[in-house]
Amino acid sequence: MNIQWNQKSIPLAADCDIAVIGAGPGGIGAAVLAGKKGRKVAVFEQSGRPGGTAAVCEVSPFMLSGDTKRFFDAPVFADWLKRIIAYLPEDLRSRQSSAKCSDSSGRLITPAIAALAAEDMLLDAGAELYYHYRLVDVIMADDGNKIEYIILHSKSGFSAAKAKVFIDSSGDGDLAALAGCPFEFGDDQGGCQPMTTCFDMGDVDVMGGDVRSAEFQEVSQKLYTQAVQDGKLSSPRENLLCFNAHDRHGVHFNTTRIIGMDATNGKMRSDAEIEGRKQIREYIGFLREYMPGFEKSSLRTFGDVGVRESRRIRGRSYLTRDDVNNCRCYPDGIARCNYGIDIHNPRGKGTEVTYFKPEDFYEIPFGSLVPQKVDNLLIGSRCISGDVAAHSSFRVMPTVCSIGQAAGVAAAVAVEKGLKIPEIDGKIVRRELNDFGAQLD
């Protein structure tokens, strides 16, 4: 079957119940639970692998969101982490699986393993995967309130996909923006959190074998500050941020800072890649020359530039800084989070960081996933409805996975009952998530 678009006749690549745009943490959550509810699901991913920032941008570790005894992000994220650990050699498996919820060593990421584990989950859930398919346009119904088709581009050229419900797990809210949904962008000055290019260094012999130790942190910070003052490093951030890798001789760096770039602007996104790698080159020289244990180190890998913030799609509910700080909960809360506010300065140095007590958390209301204006669209990624501060908390991968799984359940409910998305009772979504093993009660 072909459809008409832009004066062209293009093929229909997929006709499904639910189409998910993006196979990052949110897309994984959405597709897995929608598939487990028996829906026909198609996932369209612009790269060649699932996992999003964990696999393509090489972000590590998964940030913590849970109390001292449990993860809040069940069942999909918990299963993903379990499958990642299963791919590790035996000695690392035991170390990872024994880590406590409050210990980030249990959430280290190897990008290739994260992708394999994510693909296992998607295939097990029956999702049909379309890699190297990029969203380029939408065709709306005559009333403008429903998406009829999405337009995609791959090596085969342009094609279309039809679904009863669409889930935007693009991270940047690309589908919602194309469909005309209102959105916010940045802070009150239009600035978004900086982008970062993560990279790994190998052949390292770190003092004490742990870059998170007080000893290494003290020495590295002193050397970093001096290198910035001497003009050897141009990254406009206040500290050197690095984490242990799975293997003892690898170190992961999340320390480049790319400011003043709009992640939804094609040329700026390209320029951000160049700037991130420019900073990596500087770090390589700095580490080898000044940092103990890095004298013979080598660059192992780097990811695509990682985006913390871009569009935030306005929804039927709106989460705020006060909601986060006051640990607000909702009858239709579909996810819990106790990762604090974490705002990297859009204009240079400085990071605002707040922390929760281990037992405290806030909830994300279902209405934050329901965009305004379009009746068959859900947001299943970090760009749900909320202000800058709330977004800086719920944007982390485990919570995004939980946001996505809620979108997947809601989409399946809409298909089963023939409902428009705004007609869905979020309390039903919460109840079904609990039935799947989410810890919301």
Side-chain angles (χ1 to χ4, degrees):
M1 175 182 171
N2 283 22
I3 70 164
Q4 295 300 310
W5 170 77
N6 199 24
Q7 299 181 330
K8 295 181 177 71
S9 179
I10 62 173
L12 189 66
D15 187 349
C16 55
D17 291 329
I18 299 164
V20 180
I21 308 305
I28 295 165
V32 167
L33 285 202
K36 286 186 175 183
K37 281 187 64 63
R39 296 298 95 196
K40 183 179 180 182
V41 180
V43 181
F44 299 93
E45 167 57 41
Q46 65 185 16
S47 74
R49 65 184 66 186
T53 48
V56 179
C57 302
E58 307 208 16
V59 176
S60 180
F62 290 117
M63 293 294 99
L64 298 168
S65 179
D67 59 27
T68 57
K69 297 181 180 179
R70 60 178 179 170
F71 294 150
F72 286 157
D73 301 296
V76 176
F77 172 75
D79 187 29
W80 190 16
L81 191 62
K82 180 180 179 181
R83 291 178 186 240
I84 288 172
I85 293 171
Y87 271 108
L88 296 172
E90 186 173 356
D91 62 328
L92 294 181
R93 282 203 306 270
S94 60
R95 190 187 314 166
Q96 290 280 94
S97 60
S98 64
K100 298 178 180 179
C101 295
S102 58
D103 181 1
S104 64
S105 67
R107 295 190 171 201
L108 301 178
I109 305 168
T110 297
I113 293 176
L116 289 178
E119 188 171 83
D120 289 340
M121 295 170 66
L122 291 165
L123 294 175
D124 288 350
E128 188 168 6
L129 305 180
Y130 293 79
Y131 293 130
H132 302 296
Y133 275 73
R134 181 180 292 273
L135 175 72
V136 295
D137 203 359
V138 298
I139 297 177
M140 303 295 294
D142 291 340
D143 63 4
N145 294 327
K146 180 182 178 183
I147 299 171
E148 291 282 5
Y149 300 96
I150 55 173
I151 308 300
L152 306 142
H153 189 267
S154 70
K155 292 295 285 187
S156 301
F158 293 104
S159 60
K162 182 177 178 61
K164 295 173 179 139
V165 177
F166 295 85
I167 298 177
D168 187 340
S169 294
S170 66
D172 294 318
D174 293 334
L175 178 54
L178 285 169
C181 297
F183 62 85
E184 296 178 336
F185 188 91
D187 58 19
D188 56 5
Q189 300 175 55
C192 289
Q193 292 197 62
M195 292 182 261
T196 291
T197 306
C198 292
F199 64 99
D200 275 21
M201 298 294 287
D203 303 314
V204 177
D205 187 13
V206 175
M207 58 182 80
D210 183 3
V211 299
R212 306 307 291 169
S213 69
E215 179 187 12
F216 182 85
Q217 289 293 305
E218 181 181 357
V219 171
S220 64
Q221 185 58 38
K222 181 179 179 180
L223 292 171
Y224 174 81
T225 301
Q226 188 63 52
V228 171
Q229 292 174 354
D230 293 344
K232 296 183 180 297
L233 296 173
S234 62
S235 174
R237 67 169 293 140
E238 66 280 4
N239 62 342
L240 185 73
L241 182 62
C242 57
F243 300 90
N244 298 305
H246 276 129
D247 61 292
R248 186 182 183 280
H249 299 291
V251 177
H252 173 81
F253 288 86
N254 184 336
T255 201
T256 65
R257 178 165 286 190
I258 304 160
I259 61 174
M261 300 284 190
D262 176 354
T264 66
N265 178 294
K267 185 59 168 66
M268 284 190 179
R269 189 92 169 228
S270 175
D271 290 345
E273 298 281 6
I274 297 168
E275 173 60 26
R277 293 195 275 271
K278 168 183 171 288
Q279 293 181 25
I280 288 174
R281 293 182 183 97
E282 296 172 351
Y283 276 114
I284 293 171
F286 158 71
L287 291 167
R288 287 176 180 163
E289 185 173 358
Y290 296 103
M291 193 67 68
F294 285 80
E295 293 86 355
K296 298 180 181 180
S297 64
S298 58
L299 177 67
R300 294 199 295 197
T301 184
F302 60 82
D304 287 358
V305 67
V307 179
R308 290 184 176 87
E309 180 184 10
S310 54
R311 302 183 187 99
R312 304 189 309 278
I313 308 302
R314 287 302 301 256
R316 310 282 168 150
S317 301
Y318 188 80
L319 205 64
T320 68
R321 178 188 287 268
D322 285 344
D323 296 329
V324 173
N325 288 339
N326 292 318
C327 299
R328 193 152 291 143
C329 295
Y330 304 88
D332 66 343
I334 49 76
R336 288 180 173 177
C337 181
N338 72 349
Y339 183 77
I341 290 170
D342 180 9
I343 304 176
H344 296 238
N345 185 357
R347 284 159 283 276
K349 294 185 184 298
T351 305
E352 178 190 350
V353 180
T354 66
Y355 298 96
F356 282 94
K357 295 178 181 177
E359 66 275 13
D360 288 343
F361 59 86
Y362 67 94
E363 291 185 345
I364 298 170
F366 174 65
S368 286
L369 282 61
V370 181
Q372 299 173 10
K373 291 188 65 174
V374 180
D375 291 337
N376 65 336
L377 175 64
L378 282 152
I379 307 301
S381 60
R382 60 174 164 78
C383 56
I384 61 171
S385 183
D387 68 14
V388 168
H391 171 274
S392 75
S393 169
F394 59 62
R395 65 178 170 82
V396 294
M397 288 186 281
T399 305
V400 169
C401 199
S402 292
I403 291 169
Q405 71 186 18
V409 167
V413 169
V415 172
E416 292 165 4
K417 300 182 179 298
L419 298 173
K420 297 177 181 179
I421 298 302
E423 295 172 343
I424 295 173
D425 185 347
K427 293 188 290 294
I428 293 175
V429 177
R430 180 186 176 105
R431 185 166 64 244
E432 293 211 11
L433 286 168
N434 275 325
D435 290 342
F436 272 112
Q439 300 178 31
L440 296 171
D441 289 321

